[in-house]
Amino acid sequence: MAQVTASLLCGAVVALLSSAVLAVVEDLDQTFKDTRMNDIWLVDFYAPWCGYCKKLEPIWADVGAELKASGSPVRVGKMDATAYSGMSSEFGVRGYPTIKLLKGELAYNYKGPRTKDDIVEFTNRVSGPAVRPLPSKQMFEHMLKRHDVLFVYVGGESPLKEKYIDVATELIVYTYFFSASEEALPESMALPEIPSVAVFKDGSYFTYDEYEDGSLSSWINKERFQGYLQIDGFTLYELGETGKLVAIAVIDDKDPSDECIRLKSLIQMVAKDYRQHFNRDFQFGHMDGSDYINSLIMGEVKVPSVIILNTSNEQYFLPDGPTETLEDLVSFITGVLNGSVQAYGGDGIVQRVKRIAFDARSTIMSVFRSSPVLGCFLFGLPLGVISLMCYGICTADSDPDAGDMELLKREGFTDEEEEEEEDEEQRRTAQIEGPENDEEEEEGEEGEDEEEEEEEKAPEQKKTD
């Protein structure tokens, strides 16, 4: 009885949990298009057969529970993009899973890591106002401690503020935007003019100059990262959207040698001390290990070393000699900037073909490393079938009639001559067999006459008898 009661309790708990998950994540259908304008939605467009979508499913349930518990106004849903393909196309869904925050007429794509904390942070940032006010010095200082990169508009109403709000509405998917009055600024901060837009990062602040920096949107897009970063594959992808070249110290964080520490320090010094010279064109950082870089350049980079990547056209630059001093590194970066350093790689036709071959080889090698038996089956079986087909084609017998004709032609006979020879043979045979056939025909006629006479006599003999 106790076991039955425990089983019922477990079933009830599971049912409650399932209903709770369903309550925080809603299944959407074709009616969503007409009702979505009433709320802010965070939607996962998925495909039932997609492995990444299945991996995201429990995380998505946690996101829904977290937002509901925090009192967020955002509703969380999911839509089968294969069942409602027309609606998914209208929202610009091109792959699975696709995460979008829908806010009125605006749709924001989420491109960050698929973790609960990152998705929740993105949702809270984008669902709120594009520009958040900082009413006091205490709030200003609190936000400076909380964020590594902070954009602030300082001043009253102006055309610059209108531009700032428009850019914030577009780029809020990447970072936070704030506004403050001049009285709310920290005492240590002195802006050259008011109104102004400033970015706070790396322990300092830098102001926007329309004449030197160009458009406000481009300046904010380039300044939204710290001057020096730890770079991974995802960060490198995001850095590509800034249009900057990326100078990387390739080191081993797990077992750092003196050379690794020295190169990392040199990159950090250039990022800080030479910001005025290189900040518009370069982003600086380090990467742990060379595997990702090797796959990117389809080559081998030793550890430690320095490399500069141009993610827009897949070019890369390597120093001609060892980078021993700060001057060596600065000279190398300056050479890349003025075009005196040789560029490798690129996105030409030859490189694209090379990329296809490299990716195919990498895929095959990874399959064989993870599962040799599966690799043999996937690649060995088709190769075996193709080999047998080729062998059968190469060893097949030629047409015998064609061989006879070829032989006759070699002996000097044409088709007409061969037919004449056959007719001549038939005439000779007929002449030889002719007399014999005549005698046989005469004997046959005499035999038939005798049979007819016997048949005529037969009734008379029957009467006599």
Side-chain angles (χ1 to χ4, degrees):
M1 186 67 181
Q3 293 179 351
V4 174
T5 304
S7 300
L8 291 174
L9 288 173
C10 291
V13 170
V14 171
L16 287 173
L17 291 175
S18 300
S19 62
V21 171
L22 291 174
V24 297
V25 178
E26 304 178 42
D27 284 314
L28 306 176
D29 54 23
Q30 65 272 7
T31 61
F32 175 68
K33 182 179 178 181
D34 301 324
T35 60
R36 76 172 187 86
M37 299 296 292
N38 301 327
D39 300 282
I40 301 174
W41 283 91
L42 181 67
V43 183
D44 168 29
F45 294 90
Y46 70 95
W49 44 261
C50 172
Y52 293 107
C53 301
K54 294 177 182 178
K55 188 176 180 181
L56 178 64
E57 190 171 347
I59 299 173
W60 199 246
D62 293 340
V63 168
E66 177 76 15
L67 292 174
K68 187 176 181 65
S70 64
S72 172
V74 178
R75 298 175 67 178
V76 181
K78 60 179 182 177
M79 176 179 288
D80 184 350
T82 60
Y84 306 102
S85 57
M87 192 181 306
S88 300
S89 298
E90 291 182 16
F91 287 116
V93 176
R94 297 291 181 270
Y96 310 114
T98 294
I99 298 174
K100 287 180 176 286
L101 188 136
L102 307 176
K103 183 180 176 183
E105 295 290 343
L106 301 175
Y108 296 95
N109 288 327
Y110 176 70
K111 299 179 181 179
R114 296 188 186 118
T115 64
K116 185 196 76 171
D117 293 339
D118 288 304
I119 296 174
V120 169
E121 196 273 337
F122 163 83
T123 304
N124 291 333
R125 180 173 72 248
V126 178
S127 62
V131 179
R132 292 168 166 82
L134 297 175
S136 64
K137 292 183 179 181
Q138 292 78 8
M139 181 62 74
F140 202 116
E141 292 175 353
H142 173 71
M143 287 300 169
L144 286 176
K145 294 177 181 178
R146 184 176 177 182
H147 299 281
D148 295 326
V149 179
L150 193 71
F151 289 96
V152 182
Y153 170 82
V154 181
E157 298 297 326
S158 68
L160 180 60
K161 185 176 182 179
E162 295 178 2
K163 289 182 182 179
Y164 181 75
I165 293 174
D166 291 340
V167 173
T169 303
E170 177 189 355
L171 300 181
I172 196 173
V173 293
Y174 300 119
T175 187
Y176 284 93
F177 295 88
F178 297 91
S179 65
S181 63
E182 190 174 2
E183 291 75 18
L185 293 178
E187 296 178 357
S188 59
M189 180 180 176
L191 295 177
E193 60 180 1
I194 300 294
S196 182
V197 177
V199 57
F200 293 80
K201 64 178 183 179
D202 302 330
S204 184
Y205 65 91
F206 311 95
T207 57
Y208 165 68
D209 188 328
E210 183 177 2
Y211 298 102
E212 292 186 3
D213 300 318
S215 70
L216 180 61
S217 176
S218 175
W219 180 77
I220 290 177
N221 189 41
K222 290 184 176 183
E223 292 288 352
R224 61 188 174 92
F225 293 98
Q226 293 175 274
Y228 182 88
L229 296 170
Q230 180 172 354
I231 299 173
D232 56 16
F234 175 75
T235 308
L236 191 61
Y237 170 79
E238 280 201 316
L239 289 172
E241 298 181 353
T242 66
K244 289 185 176 183
L245 302 176
V246 186
I248 303 174
V250 184
I251 63 175
D252 187 355
D253 271 340
K254 301 179 183 62
D255 186 20
S257 62
D258 293 339
E259 182 69 9
C260 290
I261 297 173
R262 188 180 62 79
L263 281 180
K264 183 178 177 181
S265 299
L266 289 177
I267 291 284
Q268 288 174 329
M269 291 173 63
V270 171
K272 182 179 180 180
D273 298 341
Y274 288 81
R275 171 186 163 83
Q276 186 176 357
H277 298 86
F278 299 134
N279 180 68
R280 286 193 183 93
D281 302 293
F282 290 90
Q283 174 66 49
F284 299 93
H286 74 272
M287 179 175 286
D288 181 20
S290 62
D291 292 342
Y292 187 84
I293 296 291
N294 291 340
S295 65
L296 200 64
I297 68 173
M298 298 180 286
E300 292 288 338
V301 173
K302 68 177 184 177
V303 179
S305 64
V306 175
I307 186 172
I308 295 178
L309 301 175
N310 186 344
T311 56
S312 63
N313 61 6
E314 300 182 7
Q315 287 184 339
Y316 63 95
F317 305 87
L318 297 172
D320 295 333
T323 307
E324 301 289 346
T325 64
L326 181 63
E327 289 73 19
D328 292 337
L329 183 56
V330 171
S331 176
F332 170 53
I333 296 172
T334 303
V336 172
L337 194 58
N338 61 31
S340 61
V341 175
Q342 181 181 356
Y344 300 93
D347 56 357
I349 296 177
V350 176
Q351 288 297 123
R352 291 179 185 179
V353 173
K354 186 178 178 182
R355 168 61 63 184
I356 293 172
F358 180 84
D359 291 342
R361 177 179 173 275
S362 300
T363 301
I364 294 172
M365 294 300 294
S366 63
V367 170
F368 274 98
R369 273 194 228 100
S370 60
S371 178
V373 176
L374 179 62
C376 291
F377 178 78
L378 291 177
F379 300 104
L381 183 60
L383 289 175
V385 172
I386 293 172
S387 300
L388 289 175
M389 292 174 63
C390 293
Y391 176 78
I393 294 172
C394 294
T395 59
D397 291 337
S398 58
D399 186 2
D401 295 337
D404 293 342
M405 291 299 297
E406 186 67 24
L407 182 60
L408 290 171
K409 289 180 180 179
R410 288 177 183 176
E411 293 178 353
F413 289 95
T414 62
D415 293 340
E416 296 177 355
E417 292 174 347
E418 185 183 2
E419 291 178 0
E420 292 177 358
E421 287 290 329
E422 290 178 356
D423 293 340
E424 186 66 27
E425 288 290 336
Q426 291 177 359
R427 291 193 196 97
R428 292 174 184 172
T429 303
Q431 290 177 358
I432 295 172
E433 294 178 352
E436 296 179 356
N437 291 337
D438 293 341
E439 293 177 359
E440 290 177 357
E441 289 177 0
E442 291 177 358
E443 292 177 356
E445 291 176 357
E446 293 177 355
E448 289 176 359
D449 295 338
E450 292 177 356
E451 288 177 359
E452 289 177 357
E453 290 178 357
E454 290 178 357
E455 288 176 359
E456 292 176 355
K457 292 179 180 178
E460 296 177 356
Q461 290 177 355
K462 287 179 182 178
K463 288 179 182 180
T464 306
D465 293 339

